[in-house]
Amino acid sequence: MKKLYEKNEVTFAIIMIVIYVVGTSFAEAANASLGIAKLIPAVFHVLFAAFIFGWIKKNGLIEKYGLFAPKYKAAKAWFFLPLIIVACLGIIFGVKLQYTIPETILYMVSMLCVGFLEEIIFRGFLFVGMAKNNVKAAIIVSSITFGLGHIVNLLNGKPFFETMVQIIFAVFVGFTLVVLFYKGKSLVPCIVFHGVNNALSAIEKSNEEIAGVFAMSKESFEMALLAAFILILAVYSIVMFRKLSVEE
């Protein structure tokens, strides 16, 4: 594994992406007939996250991949407000358990690990590996591949329209987070946002229920929400790129 990494970091990143996507898809499929939501995916994500983190630590790559507390000046703390809004907007409309209590815990554990895995693979391995040669290309490719990675939801039975909305949202999230990592050097805020954003979906009302409050169709509500998120993330990314810097 280390020899492959040293030979070509981008190839290594692609292999990790394939393992993650295929492993998650198989875990979801295997779990379908189990009767306990997210049990097998949670086990897979915990084990894979522990393996990846252990490998990074063993090979002295903690600093390279930004697995340390942010070094921003205290005055820059407000930079996180747009991410907090995006991550927590769902629960503003109300809280509703989508699963039983044990299943909710499994779901949240799984999603927190997914936050780590997807950030370290897409923003860490892939972006850093490509950025050595071309930063702009690395930002674009890591953002788009992160979005397209969500197409696996189609294989897991998600509706086409909902999956397309997720893909577009994920591309913009990916762009925002790679800029945050590139400018701020720490991957930890990206991991926290990603994990929390995913985990909270276990206790949010469905988009269909929220759309009913506004007398909108589910599709119209999702498009309006997507437009709002894109606007927030686009402005956030531009301001970050121009203003954010770390303390020396």
Side-chain angles (χ1 to χ4, degrees), residues 13-208:
I14 292 172
I15 291 173
M16 291 299 105
I17 291 172
V18 171
I19 293 173
Y20 167 70
V21 171
V22 173
T24 297
S25 184
F26 272 108
E28 293 284 358
N31 200 86
S33 60
L34 195 61
I36 304 175
K38 295 297 180 181
L39 176 58
I40 297 178
V43 172
F44 171 69
H45 291 144
V46 168
L47 293 177
F48 194 33
F51 172 76
I52 291 293
F53 180 78
W55 183 85
I56 289 172
K57 186 175 181 180
K58 178 182 177 182
N59 289 281
L61 300 172
I62 294 290
E63 289 290 322
K64 180 175 181 177
Y65 293 119
L67 297 178
F68 52 79
K71 299 177 182 178
Y72 315 135
K73 294 179 180 179
K76 301 291 185 181
W78 67 272
F79 266 109
F80 295 113
L81 184 58
L83 289 183
I84 294 172
I85 292 172
V86 172
C88 300
L89 189 60
I91 61 175
I92 291 175
F93 297 108
V95 174
K96 178 182 178 181
L97 285 179
Q98 303 294 332
Y99 308 97
T100 65
I101 296 297
E103 289 174 335
T104 299
I105 294 172
L106 285 171
Y107 185 97
M108 289 187 163
V109 168
S110 179
M111 290 300 102
L112 290 172
C113 289
V114 164
F116 169 78
L117 286 167
E118 293 188 353
E119 290 308 308
I120 202 64
I121 292 172
F122 289 97
R123 248 68 66 190
F125 297 152
L126 184 59
F127 170 72
V128 172
M130 293 187 65
K132 294 186 296 184
N133 298 317
N134 190 322
V135 172
K136 289 183 179 179
I139 290 174
I140 293 170
V141 171
S142 66
S143 302
I144 292 176
T145 53
F146 173 66
L148 291 177
H150 289 73
I151 203 168
V152 71
N153 291 333
L154 282 177
L155 303 177
N156 295 327
K158 295 290 184 180
F160 178 80
F161 179 80
E162 182 180 329
T163 302
M164 292 303 105
V165 170
Q166 288 179 338
I167 289 173
I168 296 170
F169 174 65
V171 169
F172 278 88
V173 168
F175 178 79
T176 302
L177 296 182
V178 78
V179 170
L180 178 59
F181 176 45
Y182 175 63
K183 295 293 290 185
K185 310 306 179 187
S186 173
L187 194 61
V188 172
C190 305
I191 293 170
V192 172
F193 163 77
H194 195 152
V196 170
N197 181 66
N198 286 358
L200 288 180
S201 62
I203 58 172
E204 295 173 354
K205 288 185 176 180
S206 69
N207 286 343
E208 188 172 3

Side-chain angles (χ1 to χ4, degrees), residues 224-240:
L225 195 62
L226 178 63
F229 283 159
I230 288 175
L231 179 62
I232 293 171
L233 294 174
V235 173
Y236 180 61
S237 299
I238 292 170
V239 174
M240 257 196 315

